[in-house]
Amino acid sequence: MQQMAVILDCPDETSLRALGARLAQMLRAGDAIALQGGLGAGKTTFARGLIEAYAGIGEVPSPTYTLVQTYDSGPLPVWHYDLYRLEDAADLTELGWDETADGIVLVEWPERAGTRLPKWRLDVTIDFQGEGRRVTLEPHGEGWQTRLHGF
Ligand SMILES: Nc1ncnc2c1ncn2[C@@H]1O[C@H](COP(=O)(O)OP(=O)(O)OP(=O)(O)O)[C@@H](O)[C@H]1O
Ligand SMILES: [Mg+2]
């Protein structure tokens, strides 16, 4: 099946958070969302909107230094990674990377995971557009393709 990308305008932080909240309604066990985009693009902003809606957590810190934050107050556990400071993909093991199958994974700087990044995932790419952002949702695998239908 052809994998169709969805492109959305998010002119401000509120609309980007709202997009995260909208995706929170669709999550299933084992989902991985790769948050692509440069420094300050809005990856954490999107993750905050999603985690707030899914796990009811208002204060979502950036995992810049801890590399991972977990949230257990939603229907499934959420693992929020920021791999910017990851030195070696082998270090993912001690960050719980192989224990997330029954949960939801959000990853900032996903390319640092190398070949350990799940193949079946949703890529959320955030680009700067004027004062706002342009967001591309690109499904990899039928599970996401079906859910994005009519998004
Ligand atoms: N849609 C938007 N339009 C304009 N500004 C936005 C938008 N979304 C987020 N911002 C602002 O851009 C910045 C994004 O910061 P954020 O920490 O979310 O980026 P990040 O991609 O996680 O960065 P890092 O690479 O450091 O992890 C914040 O100052 C936020 O207020
Ligand atoms: Mg961030």
Side-chain angles (χ1 to χ4, degrees), residues 10-13 16 38-45 108-109 131-133:
C10 291
D12 52 27
E13 180 173 345
L16 185 57
L39 278 172
K43 302 179 291 296
T44 302
T45 302
E108 301 185 36
W109 299 99
E131 302 281 293
R133 305 291 188 268

Side-chain angles (χ1 to χ4, degrees), residues 9-17 35-48 62-64 80 82 84 108-109 126 128-135:
D9 283 326
C10 291
D12 52 27
E13 180 173 345
T14 305
S15 57
L16 185 57
R17 286 177 78 117
L35 296 165
Q36 319 263 7
L39 278 172
K43 302 179 291 296
T44 302
T45 302
F46 174 95
R48 284 194 174 115
S62 172
T64 312
H80 178 197
D82 181 342
Y84 189 73
E108 301 185 36
W109 299 99
I126 308 174
F128 292 86
Q129 179 173 258
E131 302 281 293
R133 305 291 188 268
R134 192 183 78 155
V135 182

Side-chain angles (χ1 to χ4, degrees), residues 10-66:
C10 291
D12 52 27
E13 180 173 345
T14 305
S15 57
L16 185 57
R17 286 177 78 117
L19 177 60
R22 196 170 159 199
L23 275 161
Q25 312 306 317
M26 306 182 166
L27 296 173
R28 297 184 199 153
D31 277 345
I33 297 180
L35 296 165
Q36 319 263 7
L39 278 172
K43 302 179 291 296
T44 302
T45 302
F46 174 95
R48 284 194 174 115
L50 186 152
I51 292 165
E52 186 168 5
Y54 190 78
I57 306 286
E59 293 280 305
V60 174
S62 172
T64 312
Y65 295 102
T66 55

Side-chain angles (χ1 to χ4, degrees), residues 9 40 42 73 102 118 122:
D9 283 326
S73 49
D102 297 326
L122 180 68

Side-chain angles (χ1 to χ4, degrees), residues 100-120:
T100 61
D102 297 326
I104 307 297
V105 177
L106 307 175
V107 195
E108 301 185 36
W109 299 99
E111 60 272 28
R112 307 279 161 114
T115 57
R116 298 184 77 177
L117 189 68
K119 281 197 183 59
W120 288 54

Side-chain angles (χ1 to χ4, degrees), residues 8 15 24-25 64 82-83 85 88 96 109 121 123 132 138:
L8 301 157
S15 57
Q25 312 306 317
T64 312
D82 181 342
L83 303 183
R85 289 183 159 72
D88 187 335
W109 299 99
R121 63 176 192 269
D123 279 338
E138 190 184 356

